[in-house]
């Protein structure tokens, strides 16, 4: 679980160029981390590659926060 | 001279006059090209003419599954797709009042829907690469209409509006999306016109002649080049002045 969180955090930090300590459980990609809608699509693409999973579009729409992403990926992988 | 060395390009409709010329020009500029079309024979002939850096990917764009598979095949063949040229198109002309659902749908499916699917299929790679060029071959009739071609004109106008919308979305990722709108171009299709039809047509073209396929290809090559990185969402009209838009 923590390993997944670390890997997800690393992707978010690299992609959005934010400080690591800003990437907390409830941090919203768009509202708190400055992502635009296209960034969220790219994040999902990056998660899919990093974890070798498929994230369908309807599931991707529910991934709004860092915590959402970690939870989804933990359950999917 | 435009340099596309180390770039890869997927060109649809490359078995036709304009598509083949687009593939030739991109290839000459150094690109590796994947040439797609419904007729294998002319594709193979073009491939042997070009020699190296060419892949033949036959595809019937009215087959939805084949359309979805084409970007993947292009990536398998070339590693990635840097440049996508949606050139394939069909016509099913009829007077509007006689136009069947099938005539309408088949033209929209191939010209507009397949174009959308191919754009979607190559975008992931372009987003990751932070570089991409999509060039959709529209038509002058998409801007000014044409009797007997409501379906074709609608599909070609749709390509322009789709290109603009997509251009907005991906501009920040180094991807440009543009359209080229040819006027009347000398191809096997226009060779079939009668002398009367040609005379009538030429009277409407300030340049006094039909265009050549290489003149369309040159416009495509420019939009595919690194130099055109600040040009996006535009339509380049290549029509001898027939419509100054």
């Amino acid at each position: 679980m923590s390993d997944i969180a670390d890997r997800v955090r690393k992707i978010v930090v690299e992609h959005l160029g934010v400080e690591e300590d800003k990437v907390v459980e409830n941090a919203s990609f768009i509202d708190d981390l400055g992502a635009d809608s296209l960034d969220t699509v790219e994040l999902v693409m990056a998660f899919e590659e990093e974890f070798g999973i498929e994230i369908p579009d309807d599931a991707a729409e529910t991934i709004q926060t860092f915590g959402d992403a970690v939870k989804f990926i933990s359950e999917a992988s | 001279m435009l340099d596309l060395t180390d770039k890869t390009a997927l060109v649809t409709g490359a078995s036709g006059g304009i598509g083949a010329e687009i593939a030739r020009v991109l290839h000459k500029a150094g690109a590796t090209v994947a040439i797609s079309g419904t007729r294998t024979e002319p594709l193979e002939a073009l491939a042997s003419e070009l020699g190296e850096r060419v892949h033949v990917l036959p595809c019937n764009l009215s087959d939805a599954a084949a359309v979805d598979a084409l970007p993947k095949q292009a990536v398998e063949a070339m590693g990635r797709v840097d440049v996508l040229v949606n050139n394939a198109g069909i016509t099913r002309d009829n007077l509007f009042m006689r136009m069947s659902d099938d005539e309408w749908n088949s033209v929209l499916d191939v010209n507009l829907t397949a174009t959308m699917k191919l754009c979607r299929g190559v975008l992931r790679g372009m987003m990751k690469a932070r570089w991409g060029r999509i060039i959709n071959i529209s038509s002058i009739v998409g801007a000014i209409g044409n009797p007997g071609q409501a379906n074709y004109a609608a599909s070609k106008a749709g390509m322009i509006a789709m290109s603009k919308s997509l251009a907005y979305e991906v501009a920040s990722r180094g991807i440009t999306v543009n359209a080229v709108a040819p006027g009347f171009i000398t191809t096997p299709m226009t060779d079939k016109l009668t002398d009367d039809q040609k005379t009538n047509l030429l009277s409407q073209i300030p340049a006094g002649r039909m265009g050549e396929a290489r003149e369309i290809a040159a416009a495509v090559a420019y939009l595919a080049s690194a130099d055109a990185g600040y040009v996006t969402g535009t339509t380049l009209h290549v029509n001898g002045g027939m419509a100054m838009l």
Side-chain angles (χ1 to χ4, degrees):
Chain A
M1 176 73 186
S2 63
D3 168 55
I4 288 177
D6 287 345
R7 287 157 72 191
V8 171
R9 184 177 287 110
K10 186 160 176 279
I11 289 171
V12 173
V13 165
E14 276 176 10
H15 191 86
L16 300 179
V18 292
E19 297 295 324
E20 207 171 307
D21 57 10
K22 293 269 181 10
V23 186
V24 294
E25 176 85 17
N26 290 325
S28 158
F29 294 126
I30 289 177
D31 296 333
D32 302 317
L33 302 176
D36 63 21
S37 55
L38 196 56
D39 286 319
T40 63
V41 173
E42 289 190 300
L43 281 173
V44 166
M45 279 164 44
F47 298 152
E48 287 180 330
E49 281 188 18
E50 171 73 17
F51 296 97
I53 55 173
E54 284 248 355
I55 305 179
D57 287 345
D58 53 346
E61 282 168 22
T62 68
I63 300 176
Q64 307 274 341
T65 66
F66 173 68
D68 293 340
V70 174
K71 182 162 174 284
F72 182 90
I73 293 162
S74 302
E75 285 166 4
S77 52
Chain B
M1 179 69 194
L2 298 165
D3 183 17
L4 295 172
T5 306
D6 296 330
K7 297 295 183 196
T8 60
L10 169 60
V11 180
T12 68
S15 47
I18 294 176
E21 199 57 29
I22 290 169
R24 279 190 196 100
V25 169
L26 297 180
H27 184 268
K28 194 177 173 194
T32 298
V33 294
I35 50 177
S36 184
T38 43
R39 292 172 295 141
T40 309
E41 218 170 285
L43 293 177
E44 292 290 354
L46 178 59
S48 43
E49 174 196 324
L50 296 179
E52 294 178 348
R53 293 183 282 112
V54 58
H55 303 270
V56 174
L57 301 176
C59 179
N60 179 358
L61 294 182
S62 55
D63 175 349
V67 175
D68 288 333
L70 183 58
K72 292 174 195 138
Q73 291 164 347
V75 169
E76 275 166 27
M78 304 188 292
R80 56 184 204 286
V81 177
D82 299 316
V83 179
L84 169 65
V85 184
N86 283 303
N87 164 73
I90 60 168
T91 56
R92 292 278 199 90
D93 298 357
N94 208 343
L95 284 175
F96 192 94
M97 291 180 70
R98 296 211 175 108
M99 188 168 286
S100 68
D101 287 0
D102 182 55
E103 285 166 341
W104 175 268
N105 288 332
S106 56
V107 169
L108 268 290
D109 280 351
V110 171
N111 296 6
L112 185 57
T113 306
T115 294
M116 174 271 175
K117 282 163 166 273
L118 294 178
C119 289
R120 193 174 59 190
V122 301
L123 273 171
R124 180 179 276 246
M126 289 180 179
M127 297 260 287
K128 280 182 66 181
R130 290 289 189 272
W131 202 94
R133 296 282 185 269
I134 294 175
I135 299 134
N136 294 322
I137 307 302
S138 179
S139 166
I140 185 175
V141 308
I144 66 173
N146 200 23
Q149 290 199 309
N151 49 1
Y152 184 76
S155 73
K156 292 297 176 179
M159 288 172 82
I160 290 175
M162 189 201 76
S163 301
K164 290 177 180 178
S165 303
L166 177 55
Y168 265 110
E169 291 190 22
V170 297
S172 64
R173 304 310 198 259
I175 303 167
T176 69
V177 187
N178 292 290
V180 172
F184 284 92
I185 306 301
T186 307
T187 63
M189 208 190 328
T190 51
D191 284 345
K192 288 178 194 153
L193 297 173
T194 63
D195 283 349
D196 271 0
Q197 285 174 315
K198 278 184 185 163
T199 307
N200 187 28
L201 195 62
L202 291 179
S203 71
Q204 300 167 44
I205 304 174
R209 64 173 178 86
M210 306 246 275
E212 300 295 328
R214 63 179 167 73
E215 292 172 310
I216 303 305
V220 172
Y222 166 65
L223 292 171
S225 71
D227 284 343
Y230 203 53
V231 179
T232 195
T234 197
T235 302
L236 188 43
H237 292 275
V238 184
N239 60 31
M242 188 175 173
M244 303 188 189
L245 302 161

